[in-house]
Amino acid sequence: MTVTVIGIGLIGGSLALDLKAAGFAGSVIGVESNPAHAGDALRLGLVDEVCDFDKGIRNADLVIVSVPVDATADLLPRILDTIRHDAVVADVGSTKKAVCDAVRRHSKRGRFVATHPIAGTEHSGPGAALRGLFKNKLCLLCDPEQSDAEALERVRAMYEAVGMRCMTMDAADHDRHAAYVSHISHVTSFVLATTVLEMEKSASTIFDLAGSGFESTVRLAKSSPDMWTPIFLQNAAFVCEALDAYIRNITEFRNEIARGGRDELRSTMESANRIRRILAGMNSQNHTGEPDTIGKES
């Protein structure tokens, strides 16, 4: 099978690696607008060749769209216009409704499968590609009734080939859940990093006092603004809903501290500790050790 990956970064590059290793893809074609990224993808062996958009799409049995979500919504109609009648297209973005809406009435809508493989790191670009990134992780297949059964099964087989388990979900439901469990985490990290940088003018002070807790909390602030700006804007309604709830809770937490409410503060934290059970279940289901790094982030 010939797989074309549009956008050879962390997700696209990691998928390319694992699909070749699993024997699912006989060849992988890269379509990449950034010449430096295209060169890195070839040098690192993520793809077998890099070619222009039209050639890459016309030669593909399966097209994976791994670009920022606003670019995905813009590109999808053109991709569906160009593919062969028996080819399949899947995106990998973190928002789904706007992407699905972009091709809802397209004559080849059935050849598109909206997906969200829930895996990643804070790094970006071809040098961030990882072997085993998707193993034992979850992939959401959204609005499956809008896709041809054969297209859906081809995409499901692709994700299962790299070790993922799949479940289906409505696109709007996906975006609401993603706002609470993923997007708000990135907002919090960006805002915390901004706050600390505003308050601590001396970088050496931050370095001296920062512990592992601070580092893990702001890790996501290293994520690409080019990727996350369109995610926040495409999912603005649900992200704002999540932020409103978060602001209410953090304001109450601040007020408990200000009024010396020892019992209230302890009760709030004990309630939050219940998240341990959820995380323990996730870790037992997803634990696979550290994935192998193919390249270093530049």
Side-chain angles (χ1 to χ4, degrees):
M1 181 181 297
T2 298
V3 175
T4 291
V5 179
I6 304 177
I8 318 167
L10 167 66
I11 299 299
S14 298
L15 263 177
L17 277 173
D18 284 353
L19 290 174
K20 288 172 68 177
F24 183 90
S27 65
V28 178
I29 298 171
V31 174
E32 175 57 63
S33 60
N34 184 319
H37 284 185
D40 287 344
L42 286 169
R43 177 176 56 83
L44 293 168
L46 306 183
V47 297
D48 298 306
E49 63 174 306
V50 175
C51 63
D52 62 44
F53 180 90
D54 285 340
K55 181 180 178 182
I57 302 306
R58 293 185 190 281
N59 289 342
D61 300 301
L62 175 61
V63 178
I64 299 169
V65 186
S66 183
V67 296
V69 292
D70 55 344
T72 297
D74 290 340
L75 277 176
L76 270 177
R78 181 182 169 195
I79 294 169
L80 291 176
D81 287 342
T82 307
I83 59 170
R84 302 193 315 262
H85 73 279
D86 59 342
V88 176
V89 181
D91 83 307
V92 297
S94 183
T95 60
K96 294 271 74 80
K97 188 175 186 303
V99 168
C100 290
D101 286 348
V103 292
R104 189 168 302 280
R105 293 179 176 82
H106 197 284
S107 61
K108 294 182 184 176
R109 171 61 182 88
R111 306 312 296 168
F112 169 62
V113 182
T115 81
H116 181 192
I118 302 177
T121 73
E122 69 274 24
H123 301 299
S124 59
L130 300 170
R131 292 191 182 97
L133 178 66
F134 306 98
K135 190 174 182 181
N136 292 336
K137 303 291 179 58
L138 174 67
C139 181
L140 298 174
L141 310 177
C142 293
D143 289 355
E145 71 282 355
Q146 299 294 321
S147 302
D148 294 345
E150 179 271 328
L152 190 67
E153 288 311 305
R154 191 182 308 182
V155 171
R156 186 190 298 273
M158 176 188 75
Y159 284 118
E160 290 177 349
V162 299
M164 300 197 87
R165 53 195 176 86
C166 298
M167 64 179 289
T168 60
M169 183 174 287
D170 174 79
D173 288 343
H174 166 277
D175 287 1
R176 179 185 293 274
H177 294 315
Y180 279 90
V181 300
S182 172
H183 301 169
I184 194 174
S185 300
H186 285 79
V187 174
T188 302
S189 191
F190 283 124
V191 173
L192 176 59
T194 300
T195 302
V196 171
L197 290 170
E198 285 179 353
M199 299 301 293
E200 293 285 355
K201 303 302 181 183
S202 169
S204 63
T205 302
I206 297 174
F207 179 80
D208 290 341
L209 296 181
S212 59
F214 175 79
E215 183 177 4
S216 64
T217 304
V218 299
R219 175 181 63 85
L220 296 177
K222 296 185 286 184
S223 300
S224 167
D226 290 335
M227 180 178 75
W228 279 96
T229 297
I231 289 173
F232 294 145
L233 294 179
Q234 271 199 6
N235 204 23
F238 290 137
V239 171
C240 288
E241 176 185 294
L243 281 173
D244 287 343
Y246 181 78
I247 290 167
R248 285 196 303 272
N249 282 308
I250 202 167
T251 299
E252 179 57 26
F253 200 93
R254 179 256 181 219
N255 291 340
E256 288 171 1
I257 294 173
R259 61 179 173 253
R262 179 181 297 272
D263 292 341
E264 293 172 300
L265 195 59
R266 182 178 179 84
S267 176
T268 297
M269 289 188 286
E270 286 178 343
S271 180
N273 284 166
R274 291 180 297 172
I275 199 70
R276 290 175 180 168
R277 295 199 300 272
I278 297 173
L279 296 178
M282 289 172 57
N283 290 335
S284 65
Q285 200 165 44
N286 294 336
H287 179 68
T288 58
E290 290 295 322
D292 299 323
T293 303
I294 298 304
K296 296 180 180 178
E297 178 70 0
S298 56

